[in-house]
Structure formats: C-alpha cells, structure tokens
C-alpha cells in the first residue's frame, strides 16, 4: 500500500501520514503487540551507565537515526536494562501487574491526544474517570458526592490531600477569627510512608510521629495524646491502609472516632493496600475508612494498571477545589464554568487522562475479576507465610495482614541476604531485595501479580536452606 506523502521533507514531515510514518507506527505497534502477548517476559536487570554508553553508540543528531535503529536500540539494549516489574517473580518493593486491557488501552489514550484537565476539552474522558472514581468511593464507603482526580502517584496524591487539608484548616480558622499556629502539624505513625515526610517538607509543616502497637498498627489511643498536646496546630492525621514495609492496616476505626473529640482532617494513605478492600477476604480490615476526609489508592500498584496512576478522593471535593484551582487570565473561561475540571483537585494543570486504563479494564472484565485476582494474591501470601512458619531455618517477622510477607533466614547477616538476592537476579530467577526491621536484616515478598504462584515462592524458599 502506498500513501501520498505530502510535505514529506518539510516541517510537517513528523506529523503527516507519510510512508515513513506508516512504517514507523507499524513497527512500534508490532513491538508492543509482541511484548503484550508474550507468554513469558524476561526478568532483566540493570546495567551500568558506562556499559550503556558503550552499547548505545548512536546519539541524538540533526538528521536522526530513523525509527528502525532507534527502536532496535530500545528493544535490544535499553529495555533489557530494565527489570520487568510485571514478571511473576518480581517480588521486591511493590510490583506492578497491569492487565492486558489496561495496557492496551493506555496506548489508545496516547493515540487520541486526549486532554484530561478540563470538562470543556475532555468531557467524555472526565465522565469516565469520574465514574471510576465514584465506583471506588462506593467500594470504600465514602458518601455520594465524594470525588477527586487521578494523579501521577501516591506521593503527589498524599501531598495534594495534605495541602487541601491545611487550606481547609486555615480557611476555617480565619472564618472563626482565629490565627494560624506558629507551625502546622501533621500526625502519623512511625510506619507511615516516606512520602508523608516529603509532603511535610514541601509544605514546611512539622511531622509528629506517634508509636504503633507491637504489631505495627496505629490506634486512636496512640494518636490521642498527640492531639491533646498539640491541639489546634494539628491540621491532619494520616493513617496507613497497608504499610509498604509490612502491609499493615492501621486501626482506621479508632483513629476516625477521635474526630468526635478533636477537629482534624483524616487522610488515609492506601496507595498499596486499600485495593485489598475489594476482596471479601480482607474487606473487614478497613473498617473506618468510610470516615476519611481524603484517601488515596494507586491503580498502578494493586489495581493492575500501567504506571502511573493514583486515585485521590475527597469526601468533600470542594475543599480540594478551593485549595488547588489555578488562577490566570487565560484560565478564566474554565474557572467560571460550573463543570468539573480535574485539574482543580490536585497539584497539576495539564494532565493525561490516566484514569482511563482502569476504567477500560474494569469495564471490560468487571469488578468480580478484580476481586478474584486480589483475593488470589492475598491467599498466596497467606499460604507462603504458613510455609515459612513451618520451616526451622526461617522465621516469620510478622503474620501478614495483606500480601507482604517479611521473614528472616536464621543465622544470616546483611551480607548473606545481599549475596543471595544478587545471585537470584544474576540467574534471572527472581527479584527479591533485602529489607530490615529494627536493625535486623530480613527478606520481603510483595505479592500482587495473579501469575505469582505458591509453587514458585516455595522454590525460592528452598534456596534458603
Ligand atoms: C507506594 C506508596 C506511596 C507512594 O506512591 P507512589 O505512587 O510511589 O508515589 C505512598 N504510600 C504508600 C503506603 C505506598 O505504598
């Protein structure tokens, strides 16, 4: 098939339907199709900067190297220098396991140049994203009227929620004729994610960390003394619904109940774990989340979408809008309209409609498929924990609540763990990184990929004998 190639050497060469561009699109789609449909993907591993500089010997130039060569560099050098986060034996940090529908549709989002920032430009996609957010809000028991936006990740989600919380506190303080404290305070547990401290640093507010139970859970009884001591200076309390290290869900109910005695914004960081509420196996652990003033959950973690996506929900979205709407003459036509503009609910302006892959995947497979996949990960984690507990050379550090399993190899030092982990990656068997708790080294399996099996994990334990 031949195509007319208007302006094929002119400035529009990159944008026209030319033979060159048709070929290039076919190549990239072919590559993507192969990767999406591969029954097994290589685990791969990082390379040094030196090695990569040596291998990639073609540079960006005035003339360009052409799509074939650029794609070849990507396929054969750059991509293999990246660990496949969707590999079933990727068990470090928090894995990613996007569904086929979510991955395929992420490409469609790019292909259509959709703008997800305002209703005026993107009403159709904003509608679909809002339907998805409303569905999530319903799962978490938030009232009708809750809403928010999909942002880049949990870090930005937490920051945006806390900025809204402080703005709300300031506004109400001003309305009551009070003045701002010398320093605003956010209260969280010692197990809270590092992004809370990062948000506090950006906002120039103080973090008061309170201890947890021996089992790692934050309870209302731990938070009360901090609220009593710091009073009005506390603008928010953050609870974690699935800590990254251990998958521990704080006692959300008892923290939420403190709102009857104290005035604060209750934020729930569920970036990793809140997705487990979709499964009847774990649902009961999240009682109290329905009282959150804001919460986050990352679809790019346990809701099976590609990077990058975090759902940020506000109980009263107006608080988010007042805090985050940007004002500029050229934006007036948007701001004066009564419609829902996603840009107004977080720290962002231009935005990709990054909620659409989740909308498409949920619409395609149905929520039941999600419940089953999440339930399977919970079951595999529970079963491998039981296996670990039964082996004399291993020690389970804590019973898993969700799908993170932390354990020690008795007699091993940090260097032994590191060497074992390096060997596994070198042999392309698995990606498991050592961690530590209270100064003791340990190993940690984070399971969420439905293709991760109990048998695969058991084989890994055998290498620890
Ligand atoms: C991963 C995680 C975050 C940060 O989310 P990003 O999407 O990586 O920015 C925040 N809180 C918790 C509990 C997490 O697990």
């Amino acid at each position: 098939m031949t195509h007319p190639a208007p302006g094929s050497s002119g400035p529009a060469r990159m944008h026209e339907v030319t033979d060159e561009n048709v070929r290039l699109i076919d190549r990239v789609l072919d590559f993507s199709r192969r990767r999406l449909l591969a029954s097994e993907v290589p685990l791969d591993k990082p390379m040094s900067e030196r090695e990569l500089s040596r291998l990639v010997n073609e540079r960006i130039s005035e003339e360009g190297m052409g799509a074939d060569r650029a794609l070849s560099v990507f396929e054969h050098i750059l991509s293999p220098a990246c660990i496949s986060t969707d590999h079933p034996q990727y068990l470090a940090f928090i894995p990613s396991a996007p569904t086929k529908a979510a991955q395929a549709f992420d490409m469609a989002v790019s292909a259509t140049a959709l703008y997800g920032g305002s209703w005026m430009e993107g009403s159709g996609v904003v509608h679909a994203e809002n339907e998805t957010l409303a569905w999530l809000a319903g799962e978490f028991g938030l009232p009708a009227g809750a809403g928010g936006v999909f942002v880049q990740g949990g870090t930005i989600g937490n920051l945006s929620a806390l900025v809204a919380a402080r703005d709300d506190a300031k506004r109400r303080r001003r309305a009551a004729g009070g003045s701002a404290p010398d320093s605003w305070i956010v209260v969280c547990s010692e197990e809270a994610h590092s992004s809370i401290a990062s948000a506090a640093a950006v906002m120039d507010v103080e973090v008061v960390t309170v201890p947890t139970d021996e089992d790692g859970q934050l309870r209302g009884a731990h938070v009360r003394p901090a609220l009593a001591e710091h009073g009005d200076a506390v603008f928010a309390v953050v609870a974690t619904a699935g800590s990254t290290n251990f998958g521990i869900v704080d006692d959300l109910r008892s923290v939420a109940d403190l709102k009857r005695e104290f005035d604060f914004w209750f934020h729930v960081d569920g970036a990793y774990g809140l997705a487990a509420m979709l499964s009847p196996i774990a649902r009961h652990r999240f009682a109290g989340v329905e009282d959150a003033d804001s919460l986050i959950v990352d679809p790019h973690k346990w809701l099976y979408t590609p990077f990058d996506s975090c759902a940020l929900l506000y109980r009263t979205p107006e608080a988010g809008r007042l805090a985050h709407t940007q004002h500029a003459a050229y934006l007036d036509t948007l701001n004066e309209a009564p419609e829902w503009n996603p840009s107004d609910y977080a720290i962002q302006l231009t935005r990709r409609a990054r909620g659409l892959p989740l909308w498409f995947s949920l619409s395609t497979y149905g929520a039941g498929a999600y419940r089953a996949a999440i339930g399977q990960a919970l079951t595999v984690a529970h079963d491998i924990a039981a296996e670990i507990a039964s082996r004399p050379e291993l020690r389970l550090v804590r019973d898993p609540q969700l799908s993170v399993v932390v354990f020690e190899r008795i007699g091993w030092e940090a260097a032994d763990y590191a060497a074992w982990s390096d060997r596994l990656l070198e042999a392309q068997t698995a990606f498991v990184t050592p961690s530590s708790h209270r100064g003791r080294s340990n190993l940690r399996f984070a399971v969420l990929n439905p293709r991760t099996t109990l048998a695969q994990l058991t084989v890994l334990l055998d290498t620890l004998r």
Side-chain angles (χ1 to χ4, degrees):
M1 192 166 81
T2 56
H3 289 263
S8 64
S9 58
R13 170 190 160 208
M14 301 187 290
H15 296 79
E16 303 276 11
V17 183
T18 62
D19 286 345
E20 179 191 14
N21 287 336
V22 169
R23 236 175 83 79
L24 163 172
I25 287 169
D26 285 345
R27 286 290 167 106
V28 173
L29 291 179
D30 278 351
F31 165 80
S32 304
R33 197 171 187 284
R34 281 200 304 284
R35 178 60 171 79
L36 284 168
L37 297 178
S39 54
E40 279 180 35
V41 294
L43 186 56
D44 293 328
K45 57 184 185 202
M47 271 187 200
S48 70
E49 178 63 44
R50 226 159 126 246
E51 183 87 340
L52 282 168
S53 301
R54 191 179 62 73
L55 292 172
V56 184
N57 45 29
E58 290 205 66
R59 293 284 125 86
I60 293 169
S61 65
E62 285 303 311
E63 303 73 33
M65 67 179 90
D68 284 358
R69 273 151 86 183
L71 185 61
S72 170
V73 167
F74 176 74
E75 183 171 2
H76 302 295
I77 304 172
L78 304 178
S79 171
C82 302
I83 301 179
S84 302
T85 60
D86 57 346
H87 191 283
Q89 303 278 64
Y90 182 115
L91 303 162
F93 311 117
I94 302 287
S96 141
T99 67
K100 298 299 179 207
Q103 285 187 300
F105 206 72
D106 200 54
M107 297 173 56
V109 172
S110 293
T112 42
L114 301 165
Y115 183 72
S118 74
W119 188 267
M120 179 191 271
E121 290 149 285
S123 63
V125 297
V126 176
H127 174 80
E129 285 193 317
N130 284 352
E131 184 187 331
T132 312
L133 289 166
W135 181 81
L136 287 171
E139 286 293 315
F140 304 144
L142 292 178
V149 62
F150 289 93
V151 296
Q152 175 263 329
T155 300
I156 294 293
N158 282 334
L159 174 61
S160 298
L162 291 177
V163 166
R166 181 181 57 180
D167 192 69
D168 186 63
K170 272 189 187 165
R171 196 168 322 101
R172 288 185 303 122
R173 187 73 56 86
R174 226 179 287 127
S179 57
D182 292 340
S183 177
W184 289 102
I185 289 172
V186 54
V187 174
C188 63
S189 95
E190 352 173 89
E191 307 258 348
H193 188 265
S194 50
S195 56
I196 302 300
S198 157
V202 171
M203 295 168 69
D204 195 20
V205 300
E206 199 183 320
V207 182
V208 169
T209 41
V210 296
T212 62
D213 277 0
E214 191 43 38
D215 63 10
Q217 264 187 322
L218 178 71
R219 296 183 190 283
H222 305 126
V223 177
R224 182 181 281 109
L227 292 173
E229 183 184 343
H230 300 289
D232 284 357
V234 177
F235 69 94
V237 175
V238 177
T240 309
S243 63
T244 321
N245 275 340
F246 281 101
I248 289 161
V249 184
D250 288 340
D251 182 357
L252 305 177
R253 175 78 277 141
S254 67
V255 178
D257 283 349
L258 292 172
K259 282 172 67 91
R260 293 202 211 110
E261 287 170 63
F262 301 93
D263 182 19
F264 63 91
W265 176 291
F266 179 36
H267 176 66
V268 175
D269 176 1
Y272 148 69
L274 194 50
M277 198 173 169
L278 268 55
S279 165
I281 302 175
R283 189 170 177 82
H284 64 280
R285 296 193 184 276
F286 300 90
V289 69
E290 67 277 10
D291 288 337
D293 293 296
S294 57
L295 62 80
I296 63 158
V297 60
D298 276 359
H300 66 218
K301 288 179 173 169
W302 211 349
L303 290 173
Y304 304 127
T305 75
F307 305 127
D308 46 17
S309 180
C310 163
L312 162 62
L313 282 166
Y314 298 100
R315 177 176 216 84
T316 311
E318 185 62 4
R321 198 182 67 79
L322 288 170
H324 292 298
T325 302
Q326 294 188 18
H327 298 278
Y330 83 99
L331 296 172
D332 283 351
T333 75
L334 296 178
N335 292 342
E336 282 154 12
E339 287 104 5
W340 183 278
N341 297 319
S343 291
D344 292 347
Y345 297 90
I347 299 155
Q348 55 179 358
L349 185 61
T350 298
R351 67 178 291 276
R352 173 179 181 77
R354 53 168 52 84
L356 280 193
L358 178 60
W359 166 79
F360 185 74
S361 187
L362 271 169
S363 302
T364 298
Y365 302 122
Y370 272 74
R371 296 187 212 288
I374 293 165
Q376 168 161 313
L378 288 163
T379 304
V380 167
H382 176 271
D383 292 352
I384 199 66
E387 179 63 30
I388 288 165
S390 77
R391 296 194 175 204
E393 73 279 13
L394 302 179
R395 191 181 80 85
L396 198 56
V397 176
R398 276 175 179 159
D399 285 330
Q401 289 189 358
L402 301 179
S403 70
V404 177
V405 184
V406 182
F407 59 103
E408 292 175 9
R409 164 68 168 80
I410 292 165
W412 274 18
E413 303 291 332
D416 301 309
Y417 289 107
W420 177 83
S421 168
D422 290 347
R423 274 200 307 279
L424 283 189
L425 187 60
E426 194 52 43
Q428 293 285 286
T429 311
F431 184 47
V432 185
T433 49
S435 183
S436 71
H437 179 59
R438 303 206 168 124
R440 291 168 67 96
S441 296
N442 58 39
L443 290 173
R444 177 178 166 282
F445 289 161
V447 181
L448 57 73
N449 190 329
R451 301 179 69 203
T452 303
T453 65
L454 184 63
Q456 291 164 354
L457 298 183
T458 308
V459 169
L460 289 183
L461 296 187
D462 291 345
T463 68
L464 291 164
R465 283 215 164 107

